[in-house]
Amino acid sequence: MAKFKTRARTVDLLGRQQIAGIPTAISELFKNAHDAYADNALVDYFRSDGLFVLRDDGVGMTKSDFENRWLTIGTESKVKEQSGMEPPYSPPDKPERVTMGEKGIGRLAIGVIGNQVLILTRAKRNGVLDDLLAVFINWDLFEVPGIDIDDIEIPIKILPGGTLPDVDDVNSMVDVVRQNLDTLASKINDDVRHKIVKNLDAFIVDPDDLESFASGPTLKENGHGTHFYILPSNETISLDIDEDRRRNDDPIFTKFLLGFSDTMTTTETPLLKTEFRDWKTDVPGDFIELIGPGEFVTHAEFNMADHHIEGKFDEYGQFDGTVTVYGQNPINHVVSWSKSRGRETLCGPFSFKLAHIQGNQRESSLPPEDYTRISQKLYRVGGVYVYRDGIRVLPYGNHDHDFLDIEKNRTKSASYYFWSHRKMAGAINISHKNRKLVEKAGREGFQQNTAYRQFCDILKNFLFQISSDFFREGGIKAEDFIQVREELNKQDAALKKKDRQSKTKRNKFSKDLNTFFSKTESLEYESRIKAIVDNIHDALRKAKNIETPDQAANLLIRSENTANTELEKLRSDYTLVRPRGVGLTKQLDRDWKAYLSEYQRLEEEYFKPTAKEISEIIGASAKQARIYVDQRKRLEVLIKQTSEKSFKKVQSKANETKISLKNTEQNVQDLVKNSLTEIQDLITQIEIDFNRTNIENMDGGSIDELKISIESRLNKAAESHEEVLESVKQQLDIIQLSRDEKGYLISQTDMLAAQENELLALQENADADLELTQLGMAVDIINHEFTSSIQTVRKNVSMLKNWADVNEDLKPLYQNIRTSFEHLDGYLSLFTPLNRRLYRKKIDISGKRIAKFLTNLFEERLKRHDVDMIVTDAFSALTIQSYPSTFYPVFVNLIDNAVFWMRDQSTNKKITLDAIKGAFIIQDTGPGIPMRDRQAIFEKGFSRKPGGRGLGLFISKDILKKVDYDLIIATEYQKGTCFKIQPLKA
């Protein structure tokens, strides 16, 4: 009688060669952890030695379980309805879980991840903990042709519970495989044998050392579960992870691992929490979490979408549920599947939830920042996922697996089919009862059987029908969608138009402000004032030489009139008017306030004194020259001149207002006329169509349909024109021509400007918040990358102190390194918990010590730019008690800025370090700080330096305040820039 024989290669064929890839293999091991009632499954991937560790805190395996279940391929123990072994143990204190494994070959996925594995498992049964079971398997042996499966020995070692094997225990199991390899020498060629021996020699694993290094599920003390130590692991793991980071918008490796449990459509705690930590170095804590909870679509983000669908497909493929459009009331909706023909489907019933956002931000109800954030996430991980009993079925949800033809249809017509794979997040929930939906052996999707084809056809028909009914012109329930979308588009167009208008005015206003400050900095007004005064004096000299008194007096009056006209023109050239109805950015508002202050200075110091001087020349000086000036005539000329000027201003603005009113009136009249004409033309056309229609042969239903159609056309047209005219009427109604109780005429333009000011401020804050959010994400990465590295640096700097204590030459070097590191260490403490500080206590800081530090730091740069740094005796003598890490960086920032702004000067480049009354003075001979910027330079984000971030002075002032000091601009110095560091109490 003949019998089947099983070669060892069968394990490799059913395992490594069947699994689609490494992410699928990891997912299979996560499913095994789920079946073992684990709460957590954690992967640690150590790049330095290629060690891959997967640990769970499930119920573990007994020796009998391992030998009779884990080492047995195709066990029927998980199929409860059939005869065979008893089902696996399920803890009585946890809800029963549906078993994910079906064929018992998912465990063989380990071979895809790496060639060798150490398995540690400790069972917990009814509250009682077993001993630890340790097993070592070399998968290379299962690739060798000609070896039967029972030729391969699997070493097993039992250790006392609560302990872990040491290196000797692991080596003893590896030696068993070496001996097994020797017995099979005749069946293995030398090259294969050499490769296996090399891998065995490289398998150096110490579980106890790893658990003390990396937190996670443990088998020590009262721990239980199953742990896999795989070495060497597949080298493509690191390549795939790095490739994901390079293509962050469309990850491949992590996309398979994300969403293992459905966290989109439910707030329930996942049955199994999965993690994957990528360790780039062997430094404790230096890892990156690849599949953290924020990486996948959250329930809150799912609920924020524009549109939602929720419902169930029954056993006939008919959908019954709700559709929510733009957050309005859910609409009950039914979608039929005509191919059922009264027969139950093979795929069975299932539920469906979907969230979708609009393709254009202007058509979305989400705030811009939320739309951008969610849209970016959906671009990476959006899609329709399939879950069986709450656990993801691969590869559904991945962008490259378009099983519902969403992207295929979108290429035909995006507006017609509506849906976009990268704008949606959905979950199809099936259960173990949908048993005809059978996964392929390699876990790359369902088998293409009749049940699967029905499943896809039902969903494709459903998505097509929903888009037709709700999201397409003419859809039976598309009115809400079209109406809201048009309102959003209209609102967006209005905002863009207003923004264009406002932007044009803001740009002009900004240009005018820049011109004003350029003229004031060049002192152009002084030369013009001098010319005005000189002309008056010239007129006075000429008047003295005129013999006729009346002619001399008239010359002076005309000269005064001309001088006042020139002075008024000068005033006008320096006068700016804030644009009405336009909000100002923070920068423009700051410049406007600086303008008001500077103009007031010009008025008080130049314009008024000049007007007074002109008057005195004509009055007192003329009297001294014995030229009689008729004061009444003089005043009459001045009054007439001022009156004409004032009237012309008002008259000009009145003419502009009349023209605007006339244009508006004409536009409104044309709009009213066109509306009446169009509605009348429609009525005429309907009458013509009606006269051409024979209704004698129509039944009652057809006549009603005709009546409804005519009414609908008329009502729709009337509503459209009525809406337009009402909008115009409301705009005319809000024109306010009356003054309030204080006499202010507050127009709609003023109110719009106030609203726009508030909006601009909110937008700037939102942009800053978004930057801070991105910065927070970056800080999170920095935390992983640098925490332990900084600990190492801290330790080495401490060790350097011991050398510096006995070596005088090292002391300055140590002091500078320590101070710079302490500054960095202080900022790192803002986002990572530090166990201790290298050096954090107040010490005496002298100006002499600061000057020496700055000289050493900037010596080469000062020479390169030919800048002299002068240190006064007062600066060297001043001593304060504080933290070097607080003060030194402030001086560094100030000197750095001074050198930057003086680098292009040809001569006179000096930095003076001085001290007055307990305050440090840092003065340079650079271009100085413009008046408009003196309040702004300490604001976060403000900078005139090309490429500057605007953080240096903001941070300097902030950290000094924490130690009761302040950084200010010393205004008593006229040339260059002068900063003062002084106690707050001063």
Side-chain angles (χ1 to χ4, degrees):
M1 181 183 296
K3 294 183 179 179
F4 279 108
K5 287 187 178 180
T6 305
R7 293 293 194 188
R9 292 183 64 243
T10 304
V11 172
D12 187 59
L13 293 172
L14 292 175
R16 179 158 36 189
Q17 297 189 32
Q18 285 292 317
I19 298 299
I22 291 174
T24 307
I26 296 172
S27 180
E28 285 299 305
L29 294 177
F30 283 164
K31 288 181 182 179
N32 286 348
H34 166 274
D35 292 348
Y37 288 85
D39 296 319
N40 299 279
L42 169 64
V43 171
D44 286 300
Y45 175 57
F46 300 96
R47 296 197 181 207
S48 59
D49 50 12
L51 175 63
F52 182 100
V53 182
L54 190 151
R55 295 176 282 168
D56 72 55
D57 54 5
V59 296
M61 292 179 281
T62 63
K63 187 171 184 295
S64 174
D65 287 336
F66 188 81
E67 292 177 342
N68 298 321
R69 298 182 191 277
W70 207 92
L71 291 180
T72 302
I73 300 173
T75 54
E76 64 281 291
S77 61
K78 295 184 179 181
V79 186
K80 297 185 179 181
E81 290 80 358
Q82 299 181 9
S83 60
M85 299 176 63
E86 288 293 324
Y89 171 77
S90 57
D93 58 337
K94 288 190 174 183
E96 186 175 358
R97 297 185 184 180
V98 177
T99 303
M100 293 291 109
E102 295 177 349
K103 304 176 182 63
I105 62 171
R107 72 205 66 164
L108 305 182
I110 295 173
V112 181
I113 302 173
N115 296 342
Q116 301 175 127
V117 59
L118 171 67
I119 305 170
L120 305 180
T121 183
R122 188 185 187 194
K124 183 178 182 180
R125 299 292 184 267
N126 297 314
V128 179
L129 291 167
D130 280 6
D131 287 333
L132 180 76
L133 186 69
V135 183
F136 176 74
I137 299 176
N138 180 289
W139 297 108
D140 290 332
L141 288 171
F142 293 92
E143 295 183 43
V144 180
I147 297 179
D148 292 333
I149 197 167
D150 54 3
D151 288 337
I152 298 176
E153 297 181 15
I154 306 297
I156 296 177
K157 183 181 284 287
I158 298 177
L159 301 170
T163 63
L164 295 176
D166 56 23
V167 175
D168 292 337
D169 292 324
V170 175
N171 289 339
S172 67
M173 289 187 286
V174 174
D175 287 339
V176 172
V177 177
R178 285 196 179 94
Q179 295 168 11
N180 188 205
L181 188 62
D182 291 337
T183 62
L184 299 173
S186 60
K187 298 182 180 182
I188 305 176
N189 66 49
D190 291 340
D191 289 341
V192 174
R193 176 183 172 82
H194 177 72
K195 173 190 171 185
I196 295 174
V197 170
K198 184 178 180 181
N199 284 336
L200 292 173
D201 292 342
F203 194 84
I204 303 174
V205 173
D206 187 348
D208 187 69
D209 179 64
L210 183 133
E211 288 208 6
S212 62
F213 177 84
S215 61
T218 180
L219 298 178
K220 289 183 177 180
E221 298 177 352
N222 295 323
H224 52 86
T226 302
H227 298 182
F228 301 94
Y229 296 78
I230 302 171
L231 181 71
S233 59
N234 195 316
E235 62 183 11
T236 63
I237 297 176
S238 59
L239 298 176
D240 288 343
I241 294 173
D242 291 340
E243 179 64 21
D244 268 14
R245 288 184 184 141
R246 281 191 291 271
R247 46 184 299 171
N248 182 53
D249 59 338
D250 190 17
I252 297 176
F253 183 87
T254 52
K255 180 68 183 291
F256 273 89
L257 300 177
L258 286 167
F260 180 80
S261 299
D262 180 15
T263 58
M264 292 185 294
T265 66
T266 177
T267 57
E268 295 180 6
T269 303
L271 294 176
L272 179 69
K273 179 184 176 184
T274 57
E275 296 180 78
F276 191 118
R277 305 192 298 202
D278 175 26
W279 298 75
K280 282 191 171 184
T281 67
D282 290 336
V283 178
D286 185 21
F287 63 81
I288 295 176
E289 173 60 76
L290 298 183
I291 56 174
E295 295 297 318
F296 196 55
V297 180
T298 66
H299 185 63
E301 291 167 339
F302 185 89
N303 287 338
M304 290 175 67
D306 291 311
H307 318 299
H308 294 88
I309 302 172
E310 180 175 353
K312 294 183 178 180
F313 293 86
D314 64 16
E315 61 272 23
Y316 299 99
Q318 316 304 310
F319 174 82
D320 186 359
T322 60
V323 179
T324 305
V325 177
Y326 281 122
Q328 300 186 25
N329 293 329
I331 300 173
N332 294 321
H333 196 63
V334 177
V335 177
S336 64
W337 184 59
S338 61
K339 296 181 182 180
S340 68
R341 297 186 178 90
R343 294 190 300 271
E344 293 187 6
T345 60
L346 295 177
C347 62
F350 56 92
S351 64
F352 181 78
K353 289 185 179 181
L354 180 71
H356 195 279
I357 64 173
Q358 287 293 114
N360 295 316
Q361 195 277 321
R362 68 174 182 272
E363 295 180 350
S364 176
S365 59
L366 276 72
E369 60 274 15
D370 289 333
Y371 179 88
T372 300
R373 176 175 55 83
I374 294 177
S375 182
Q376 289 175 347
K377 177 174 284 191
L378 290 180
Y379 195 87
R380 296 195 309 271
V381 301
V384 179
Y385 294 74
V386 178
Y387 292 91
R388 191 194 292 272
D389 294 306
I391 301 300
R392 183 183 173 189
V393 179
L394 294 175
Y396 305 104
N398 288 0
H399 294 160
D400 57 353
H401 193 76
D402 191 20
F403 73 108
L404 297 179
D405 292 340
I406 291 172
E407 294 304 313
K408 177 183 176 182
N409 290 332
R410 188 169 180 80
T411 58
K412 298 176 184 177
S413 175
S415 60
Y416 187 78
Y417 289 97
F418 182 71
W419 309 107
S420 171
H421 202 105
R422 297 180 187 272
K423 295 295 181 182
M424 61 166 59
I428 303 168
N429 286 289
I430 62 176
S431 71
H432 60 286
K433 296 179 181 178
N434 303 86
R435 58 181 69 259
K436 293 295 180 66
L437 291 174
V438 182
E439 290 185 62
K440 297 177 183 178
R443 299 299 195 265
E444 67 273 22
F446 293 118
Q447 295 178 10
Q448 306 287 318
N449 57 19
T450 304
Y452 176 73
R453 295 175 189 274
Q454 287 180 343
F455 179 70
C456 291
D457 195 66
I458 290 169
L459 287 165
K460 290 176 185 177
N461 170 76
F462 169 75
L463 291 175
F464 177 83
Q465 197 60 48
I466 290 293
S467 65
S468 175
D469 293 345
F470 286 88
F471 303 107
R472 195 183 300 162
E473 295 283 349
I476 59 173
K477 298 183 179 180
E479 183 178 352
D480 288 344
F481 170 71
I482 294 171
Q483 180 181 352
V484 175
R485 185 185 64 180
E486 288 181 352
E487 289 176 357
L488 291 171
N489 276 320
K490 184 178 178 180
Q491 180 181 359
D492 179 74
L495 287 173
K496 285 182 178 178
K497 183 177 181 181
K498 178 66 171 66
D499 184 61
R500 284 194 299 270
Q501 293 174 345
S502 298
K503 188 175 181 180
T504 300
K505 293 181 180 180
R506 276 195 294 269
N507 287 341
K508 183 181 182 304
F509 188 53
S510 177
K511 185 178 179 180
D512 292 342
L513 283 168
N514 289 334
T515 301
F516 170 84
F517 287 114
S518 295
K519 289 192 298 186
T520 55
E521 289 171 7
S522 67
L523 304 179
E524 180 254 8
Y525 54 87
E526 289 187 352
S527 59
R528 290 177 64 179
I529 287 174
K530 184 177 183 301
I532 293 171
V533 174
D534 288 346
N535 289 337
I536 286 290
H537 284 293
D538 287 343
L540 181 61
R541 283 193 295 271
K542 290 178 181 179
K544 290 180 180 179
N545 296 324
I546 296 176
E547 295 179 358
T548 306
D550 287 345
Q551 290 181 352
N554 288 335
L555 174 61
L556 289 179
I557 292 174
R558 288 196 305 272
S559 299
E560 182 183 25
N561 185 22
T562 301
N564 285 329
T565 301
E566 289 296 321
L567 181 60
E568 189 58 35
K569 187 177 184 305
L570 177 60
R571 269 197 177 105
S572 177
D573 289 346
Y574 279 77
T575 300
L576 299 180
V577 178
R578 178 171 177 160
R580 301 290 298 275
V582 176
L584 301 184
T585 64
K586 186 183 293 184
Q587 177 64 47
L588 275 180
D589 185 62
R590 189 164 48 228
D591 287 349
W592 170 246
K593 291 175 180 176
Y595 157 78
L596 293 176
S597 175
E598 183 68 1
Y599 184 84
Q600 183 64 28
R601 183 185 71 84
L602 294 176
E603 186 70 30
E604 297 297 329
E605 295 181 9
Y606 290 92
F607 300 153
K608 285 183 179 180
T610 302
K612 184 178 180 181
E613 185 176 0
I614 293 171
S615 179
E616 288 176 348
I617 291 173
I618 300 301
S621 300
K623 187 176 181 180
Q624 290 178 3
R626 295 182 180 180
I627 300 174
Y628 174 74
V629 177
D630 189 335
Q631 296 299 328
R632 174 172 290 278
K633 184 177 180 181
R634 177 190 175 202
L635 289 176
E636 285 177 353
V637 172
L638 291 175
I639 292 172
K640 182 180 179 181
Q641 179 188 18
T642 305
S643 300
E644 288 177 351
K645 180 182 65 177
S646 301
F647 183 80
K648 285 180 180 179
K649 285 183 179 180
V650 177
Q651 187 180 47
S652 175
K653 190 58 65 176
N655 290 335
E656 292 178 9
T657 305
K658 286 179 181 179
I659 293 172
S660 179
L661 176 61
K662 186 176 180 180
N663 292 337
T664 302
E665 181 182 11
Q666 186 62 49
N667 289 336
V668 172
Q669 287 178 350
D670 290 344
L671 185 65
V672 172
K673 183 179 178 180
N674 290 337
S675 294
L676 293 173
T677 301
E678 288 178 16
I679 194 69
Q680 185 60 53
D681 289 345
L682 178 62
I683 293 171
T684 302
Q685 185 61 48
I686 288 174
E687 289 176 349
I688 293 172
D689 293 341
F690 178 72
N691 291 332
R692 291 173 177 173
T693 303
N694 185 0
I695 64 172
E696 292 181 0
N697 298 326
M698 289 185 178
D699 56 21
S702 299
I703 292 176
D704 287 341
E705 289 181 3
L706 178 61
K707 173 178 174 294
I708 292 172
S709 175
I710 293 173
E711 289 178 344
S712 176
R713 290 176 66 186
L714 286 170
N715 289 335
K716 188 173 182 180
E719 288 174 0
S720 176
H721 289 293
E722 187 181 16
E723 181 182 352
V724 172
L725 293 173
E726 178 62 25
S727 175
V728 174
K729 176 180 174 298
Q730 288 179 2
Q731 292 181 60
L732 295 173
D733 288 343
I734 60 178
I735 298 177
Q736 298 180 9
L737 300 179
S738 59
R739 300 180 183 273
D740 63 10
E741 63 276 4
K742 294 184 178 180
Y744 297 125
L745 182 63
I746 301 176
S747 66
Q748 183 69 15
T749 302
D750 297 313
M751 291 186 281
L752 284 174
Q755 290 177 341
E756 191 168 324
N757 274 330
E758 184 177 6
L759 176 61
L760 285 171
L762 290 173
Q763 287 176 338
E764 290 181 350
N765 288 337
D767 291 340
D769 290 343
L770 180 60
E771 289 185 3
L772 289 175
T773 301
Q774 294 170 338
L775 180 61
M777 296 169 64
V779 165
D780 187 47
I781 296 173
I782 293 172
N783 184 28
H784 285 301
E785 296 288 342
F786 287 104
T787 297
S788 298
S789 299
I790 288 300
Q791 292 174 356
T792 303
V793 174
R794 185 183 299 111
K795 179 180 178 181
N796 290 332
V797 171
S798 297
M799 293 172 62
L800 180 62
K801 181 179 184 300
N802 297 329
W803 288 87
D805 289 341
V806 296
N807 190 330
E808 288 294 328
D809 293 337
L810 279 179
K811 281 188 177 181
L813 174 65
Y814 163 71
Q815 183 63 49
N816 290 342
I817 292 176
R818 186 189 70 182
T819 300
S820 299
F821 174 72
E822 185 183 344
H823 174 59
L824 173 64
D825 197 22
Y827 279 106
L828 286 174
S829 67
L830 295 175
F831 56 83
T832 182
L834 298 177
N835 294 327
R836 60 186 179 86
R837 302 294 299 275
L838 167 72
Y839 181 77
R840 189 62 176 170
K841 64 179 182 179
K842 290 184 177 182
I843 64 171
D844 288 335
I845 306 174
S846 66
K848 182 179 180 181
R849 183 175 168 185
I850 295 172
K852 184 177 180 181
F853 176 82
L854 295 174
T855 300
N856 292 337
L857 184 63
F858 286 99
E859 185 174 12
E860 292 185 6
R861 190 174 172 196
L862 292 172
K863 287 181 181 179
R864 185 167 66 250
H865 294 290
D866 196 25
V867 177
D868 292 330
M869 188 165 72
I870 302 169
V871 182
T872 68
D873 292 340
F875 183 88
S876 298
L878 180 58
T879 299
I880 63 173
Q881 191 175 64
S882 193
Y883 307 105
S885 60
T886 296
F887 277 83
Y888 279 36
V890 175
F891 280 97
V892 170
N893 182 261
L894 295 176
I895 300 300
D896 176 75
N897 286 342
V899 174
F900 177 85
W901 290 112
M902 289 192 296
R903 71 193 191 285
D904 295 330
Q905 291 180 194
S906 57
T907 58
N908 192 30
K909 293 188 281 187
K910 295 180 181 179
I911 299 174
T912 302
L913 303 181
D914 198 0
I916 298 176
K917 297 179 180 179
F920 289 109
I921 304 296
I922 304 92
Q923 185 180 10
D924 65 57
T925 57
I929 301 173
M931 181 67 67
R932 64 192 293 194
D933 294 339
R934 292 190 177 181
Q935 294 299 320
I937 61 169
F938 296 112
E939 291 183 8
K940 182 174 63 176
F942 178 84
S943 177
R944 296 287 185 191
K945 184 186 293 185
R949 298 295 303 276
L951 293 175
L953 292 175
F954 167 76
I955 292 174
S956 295
K957 190 176 183 72
D958 185 62
I959 63 173
L960 284 174
K961 282 187 177 181
K962 294 178 180 178
V963 293
D964 296 326
Y965 272 79
D966 197 9
L967 176 65
I968 63 172
I969 300 175
T971 56
E972 59 265 31
Y973 296 87
Q974 299 298 321
K975 301 296 183 181
T977 301
C978 184
F979 286 98
K980 182 184 291 187
I981 300 174
Q982 63 184 15
L984 281 174
K985 297 177 181 179

